[in-house]
Each structure stands twice: as C-alpha cells, then as structure tokens.
Amino acid sequence: MSNPVEAQQGNANLCRHLVEAANTIPDHLAAAVQHSAGRSIDGLSYEEMDFQTLNRKSDHIAAALIHFGLTPGMKAVLMVTPSIDFFCLTFGLFKAGIVPILVDPGMGVKNLKQCFIEAKPDVFIGIPKAHIARRLFGWGKRSVKHLITVGGGRLINTVTGAYSLDDIVNNSRVDPQPFAMQLLNEDAMAAILFTSGSTGTPKGVVYSHKMFEAQISALKLDYGIKPGERDLATFPLFSLFGPALGMASIVPDMDASKPITANPDFIFAAIEKYQCSNMFINPALIERLGDAGSPVNHKIPSIKRVISAGAPATIGSIKRFSTMLNSDVEVLNSYGATEALPLSKIGSQSLFNTTDVTDHGGGICVGDAIEGVVIAIIDIDENPISQWHEALKLPANQIGEIVVKGSMVSRSYYQRDTATRAAKMTDGVATRHRMGDLGYLDDAGLLWMCGRKAHRVDAITAAGSMQRYYSIPTERIFNTHPEVKRSALVGVVVAGRLTPLVCIELDTTIACSKTNVLYQQLCTLAEQHSQTQGIIRFLIHPNFPVDIRHNAKIFREKLAIWAQKQIKE
C-alpha cells in the first residue's frame, strides 16, 4: 500500500463528498452532538453544525495543521470523543492528507501500547485524559513528534506538553480561501483502523481511499441512504460517513466503546428531537433499547432504516426492538469486518424465516452479497495461500473458510507482513481476503455463518476418527434449551485427547433444573443432531467473558482455559 506522500496524485479524497454537500445543501444540519448534565433528559443539550460550516472549519484546521508543521503522509493517532471538534478535526486531517490512526480505547492498555509501537505515529491528537494516559503508559514516545490537545485549557497543555488545537487554529493566520485538499491515488493509504482485538491481537487495517469510496457507494446503492436524511450514529467511524453522504450525523450522549451502558432515554430523546430516519447500531444496543422500549410500548416512527453490524444479533432481541418500529421497517443485519465492510446483508423479516434452520445447527444466515462483492468458500487450511484460483472453491452447502473480493476489501495490515500473508491472496487483478470465519453458501447463494475458524474443535473419537464441531451450529442447538441463556463450544484435553466441551450460562430469570438433570437433557439434545453428536461434557459458568463493545463476542479462549482447570480425568 502506498504512503500518501509518495503516491501519485489522483482525484480521491473522502472529503470531496463533504465539499459537494456544502455546495448543494449548505444550510442543512451536518452533525449534532448530545451532551447531558446528570442522568436525566432534563439536562440534555446539543451542539449543532451545518454542512457549510463543517466544510469551512475543516478547511481552516487542515491549513492550520500544515502551517503548524504537519505534512501530508504523516500519521496521527486520534483519541477524541465524539464531538463537533471530532468531525471538524477528522475531516481536516483527511483534507490535509494526514493519515488518521483510529483505535478502540476499549481494547485495553497493553493492546493500545502495542498499536502505537506498530503504527509509529508522528502526531498524537487527543483529549486531556488521553494525553495523561499517553504520558503514564509511554504511548508513542519513540515516534511522536507533535502533540495536540483538544479541550482542557492551558494548564492541561502545560502538564501534557501538548499544543492546543484552538491555539493552533487561531494563531495560524492562514489564507481564508478554501483549502486545496490533497487529491491522491485511490490506492493511497487514507487511514489505519485497528481491529478491536476481541478475537485476537489487534491489527492495523490499512484503509485506502478506494475502500472508503466503496463503502459510501454501498450505503447509497445497497442501503438506499439519500442526502437530507438524519442518522442516529452510535459508532464514531460510521458517524463520519453521514456528512460524506449528505446525511446529518446525530451523536447521542453515550460511551461508544461500551454501548451496553447507554441510557436509552438519551438515545430516544435524540431520535425524537431530530426525527432520525436511519440508525446504525450494534447488537448490544439493539438489546438495550429493545429491553427498555418494548415493555412500555415506546415507538420511534421516524426511523425508516436500521443497520446492525459488529456481531450477530439474537432473533429475540431483534423482535423486541422491532416492536418500536413501523411495520414496514426492517433491521438490516450486515456481515463484514474491519478488513472488509459491508459484504452481505439480510432484512429481519427474511432472517426470522431462517430460525428453524439455525436452531437445528444450520448456522446463521447473513444474506446476499451486496453489489460488487464476490463471496466464495474454500477448504479449512491454516497455511497461507498467495494465489487465488477457481479450483479452491467448494461447492454449495459445504462448510469452509469465507473468502471475499470487492472494492471495500483491504489489501494489507500495517507492519504485519505475516498476518497479511495469512489473510490475503491475489487473483492477479484484485485482493481476496480470508475472513477467518467459517460458513457455506446455500443453493440460492445465501451466506451462512458457522463461527470463527479458530473456534472450531477437531476432536479425535475413541475409534480414532476425527469429528469436527463448529461453534455457531453447536451453540445454537444448545441455546434452544429453555434454561440456557447462551453457550460456548471449547476444546479441552481429556486423557491426552482433544475433547469438545460446552460451557453454559444459565438464564437466571427462571428456575433451573438440578445440574445433573440439565446435563442429561443437554446430552439427549446433542444426540438428536449430527452437528453435536458425541458431545457429553458440559460446565456451568456464572457469567461469560465477552467483549465490551458488542456484548456478544464470547472470549472462548478464556473459557477454554477455565474449563481445562475444571477437568478431572
């Protein structure tokens, strides 16, 4: 992937869409950010900005940063909470050709430090709390040359050694004319987005301008988003797509890294005030809002479209949430990953029709490929595959690793050559990405998810043959038991053999059977399905470890360690 400073000039820059919106709908709302004083809706206030102002201020910031000494091609860690400043600053960085590095604060201190070591940022831009953490934990101390703080006042700047963004802008004395944004080759590096680390060590995904353009096109064409809409944006990166689509981004007062802690009243208030037509939310928030709104018959009639991504949402949570929507509005479940998003989608009504297959171990249907995306299934293989050829493809209804091709597919990880070789292959023209997910394509071409490749259990039976168990098909069968809240397949070693074991988290809202009775019922259930035959070991765990963002991705690796300690051979 080319560095922007070295790349040939072209015509690509995400901000060209913002400029177009500023010229065509200048006075329309571009962004609004909700703030609260206390925990009641009485204390809510809102910052607002229109497209023309957002474009002008981001121009000013881009010019000021260049005047300050930043140069196109530099990499800047951005640790700023969702705010009007966040919008202006991020678009300013893109206009200046400075590469934002976006990390999830929820990934933990150790992972954050490793991200900084790998990304080697030239600039650290953050709120005061981020700068204090930077000094405390030594983030980026070997590479960072410029420190910029957003908010906090002069005392904070003195303590952290950073320059205030406000001072940089106010003292820049730059030309008030529109900033001549960097127009680059479509394959030039535009940003580095780190994966959350919920299924392994975080990796920096190199985003090109071509990828951003493909995502914008998908949201326009496949999801039907139109200029003038208003989006309830609960994920910082997606909130940036709003202004690029001519759509206002309404950011509620919540911790985006911990959506399960959001105050539903604040979110409902933002939707009502701005009559939002679109929502981009993850499964944790679907569950949170549905649990709050459904029992009191709350309605959100302005919503015309709900996009869910990040992890599979449960059928029950989607149904509860849907009671608040108009009857013709669906929850659109999207499949993808940081490396490639979106790839496929399925509406909730179609999804409801697949529940019987899912409950009987058929995996989770994630729908049709969106326009321009090619999905294939290959044999499960831990080795790198450098060249794609059609002979790798498995026939319909055969489970293997999901491989994708499309303009939104990333070409590499940043400074992770081994990971790039393991996940990428080329067909001579385009990059294909190995998702690390297992699944199959049915006869109609629909994609079904069967879990992570790393979460399968290849067990050796007493007869010496190998039996393979997949996480999603296995777990969904056991989840049909009325006393099971959720389950997790892990592998444990018993008498020198890798053996499947299912951890169970009980539904504490109901009275449960005695443990030995429950285990016997689960054994009987296992024998009724080919996907689970041979599973005879179960353990009850009080509270599964899950990722804080989605509250759905189970840390099976932690459960496997715990389960192994419980085994008495």
Side-chain angles (χ1 to χ4, degrees):
M1 181 67 63
S2 302
N3 186 291
V5 76
E6 301 167 346
Q8 285 187 329
Q9 292 296 299
N11 62 357
N13 193 309
L14 170 69
C15 294
R16 69 185 183 86
H17 299 283
L18 172 61
V19 174
E20 181 181 351
N23 290 332
T24 56
I25 48 175
D27 299 327
H28 278 54
L29 183 70
V33 180
Q34 184 188 73
H35 302 278
S36 67
R39 300 305 297 167
S40 74
I41 59 174
D42 295 333
L44 291 177
S45 60
Y46 299 85
E47 288 181 274
E48 298 180 353
M49 183 171 287
D50 59 40
F51 281 102
Q52 190 173 60
T53 305
L54 176 58
N55 185 50
R56 185 177 67 251
K57 288 201 170 186
S58 57
D59 269 357
H60 198 174
I61 288 174
L65 291 176
I66 297 297
H67 183 266
F68 179 65
L70 275 58
T71 57
M74 280 187 170
K75 303 184 298 294
V77 165
L78 191 59
M79 298 189 74
V80 178
T81 50
S83 60
I84 293 297
D85 284 339
F86 170 79
F87 284 94
C88 296
L89 175 58
T90 308
F91 281 116
L93 291 172
F94 280 125
K95 286 181 175 181
I98 297 164
V99 179
I101 301 172
L102 300 175
V103 295
D104 184 348
M107 70 174 58
V109 171
K110 182 179 178 181
N111 282 335
L112 278 170
K113 187 170 185 176
Q114 184 60 33
C115 290
F116 292 124
I117 291 172
E118 291 183 9
K120 297 182 175 61
D122 306 285
V123 189
F124 189 104
I125 306 175
I127 59 174
K129 187 176 5 180
H131 277 285
I132 291 170
R134 170 188 58 79
R135 294 195 64 173
L136 183 63
F137 299 113
W139 294 339
K141 62 182 179 181
R142 295 181 181 177
S143 64
V144 171
K145 308 175 190 67
H146 303 278
L147 300 171
I148 300 172
T149 185
V150 178
R154 296 187 181 278
L155 178 60
I156 287 293
N157 299 334
T158 301
V159 171
T160 62
Y163 287 87
S164 163
L165 177 65
D166 287 341
D167 287 346
I168 290 172
V169 172
N170 293 335
N171 297 332
S172 62
R173 299 175 185 172
V174 294
D175 192 331
Q177 296 301 313
F179 180 77
M181 77 174 76
Q182 291 284 313
L183 293 175
L184 302 165
N185 185 285
E186 65 176 13
D187 289 323
M189 182 165 64
I192 300 173
L193 275 62
F194 274 87
T195 60
S196 66
S198 59
T199 55
T201 304
K203 298 184 288 290
V205 180
V206 176
Y207 263 59
S208 66
H209 293 276
K210 182 179 181 179
M211 287 178 66
F212 280 128
E213 290 289 346
Q215 290 175 326
I216 290 171
S217 293
L219 292 169
K220 285 181 178 178
L221 300 176
D222 290 87
Y223 292 85
I225 293 175
K226 295 178 175 59
E229 290 199 48
R230 295 184 175 191
D231 173 57
L232 193 285
T234 61
F235 180 55
L237 177 63
F238 187 84
S239 68
L240 295 172
F241 284 120
L245 289 160
M247 176 173 64
S249 287
I250 313 302
V251 183
D253 184 10
M254 60 174 283
D255 184 345
S257 69
K258 300 177 182 177
I260 197 65
T261 65
N263 185 332
D265 289 340
F266 290 3
I267 293 175
F268 293 146
I271 295 171
E272 174 66 25
K273 177 176 175 62
Y274 291 101
Q275 290 295 288
C276 295
S277 58
N278 188 77
M279 294 180 73
F280 184 90
I281 58 178
N282 74 0
L285 204 50
I286 283 179
E287 183 171 3
R288 177 80 165 155
L289 297 181
D291 287 346
S294 181
V296 297
N297 200 31
H298 185 82
K299 302 295 181 183
I300 43 178
S302 66
I303 295 294
K304 307 301 181 189
R305 184 190 309 101
V306 180
I307 303 173
S308 174
T314 65
I315 297 295
S317 64
I318 294 174
K319 286 184 174 179
R320 282 191 298 276
F321 180 85
S322 296
T323 63
M324 298 187 292
L325 304 172
N326 293 335
S327 59
D328 61 338
V329 177
E330 292 192 272
V331 177
L332 302 175
N333 296 272
S334 295
Y335 170 68
T338 306
E339 296 90 337
L341 179 74
L343 297 169
S344 70
K345 66 181 176 68
I346 183 171
S348 49
Q349 291 303 319
S350 296
L351 183 64
F352 295 158
N353 294 330
T354 68
T355 54
D356 188 59
V357 176
T358 297
D359 288 347
H360 285 82
I364 298 173
C365 187
V366 292
D368 292 298
I370 68 167
E371 185 70 26
V373 170
V374 177
I375 299 176
I377 308 297
I378 66 172
D379 262 330
I380 299 172
D381 190 340
E382 301 297 341
N383 297 310
I385 304 173
S386 59
Q387 292 293 129
W388 167 264
H389 50 89
E390 292 297 303
L392 290 170
K393 290 169 61 173
L394 293 179
N397 301 306
Q398 191 166 331
I399 297 174
E401 185 173 8
I402 302 168
V403 178
V404 297
K405 172 185 174 181
S407 297
M408 70 289 294
V409 173
S410 60
R411 296 170 61 184
S412 66
Y413 295 107
Y414 192 74
Q415 301 294 329
R416 286 286 196 93
D417 291 344
T418 300
T420 297
R421 285 193 295 271
K424 309 295 180 181
M425 59 178 82
T426 180
D427 59 12
V429 177
T431 298
R432 299 201 182 217
H433 177 67
R434 300 169 68 177
M435 294 293 290
D437 291 327
L438 303 179
Y440 64 93
L441 292 167
D442 66 15
D443 293 326
L446 295 175
L447 179 62
W448 295 74
M449 260 279 291
C450 295
R452 296 290 293 171
K453 181 167 67 171
H455 294 157
R456 77 190 189 280
V457 175
D458 292 340
I460 305 299
T461 66
S465 61
M466 191 270 283
Q467 181 151 352
R468 177 167 285 166
Y469 299 93
Y470 303 102
S471 57
I472 288 178
T474 295
E475 293 160 8
R476 291 297 169 129
I477 287 172
F478 293 118
N479 289 355
T480 63
H481 191 289
E483 297 176 20
V484 174
K485 178 182 178 181
R486 53 187 165 190
S487 58
L489 171 72
V490 299
V492 293
V493 177
V494 180
R497 294 179 185 272
L498 185 64
T499 303
L501 180 148
V502 175
C503 298
I504 301 294
E505 184 178 341
L506 297 176
D507 184 347
T508 57
T509 64
I510 63 173
C512 294
S513 308
K514 292 182 178 179
T515 301
N516 61 331
V517 174
L518 174 62
Y519 287 177
Q520 183 56 53
Q521 291 172 347
L522 294 175
C523 285
T524 301
L525 186 59
E527 287 304 305
Q528 294 172 357
H529 300 85
S530 61
Q531 298 94 330
T532 51
Q533 284 176 358
I535 297 178
I536 59 172
R537 289 180 177 269
F538 304 90
L539 285 173
I540 294 174
H541 190 282
N543 189 23
F544 281 4
V546 295
D547 69 304
I548 60 174
R549 178 180 292 283
H550 303 294
N551 200 43
K553 294 181 178 179
I554 301 168
F555 291 128
R556 291 172 178 82
E557 294 81 2
K558 294 181 180 180
L559 282 177
I561 294 171
W562 170 82
Q564 187 67 59
K565 292 178 180 179
Q566 316 304 311
I567 297 299
K568 297 179 181 178
E569 299 186 23

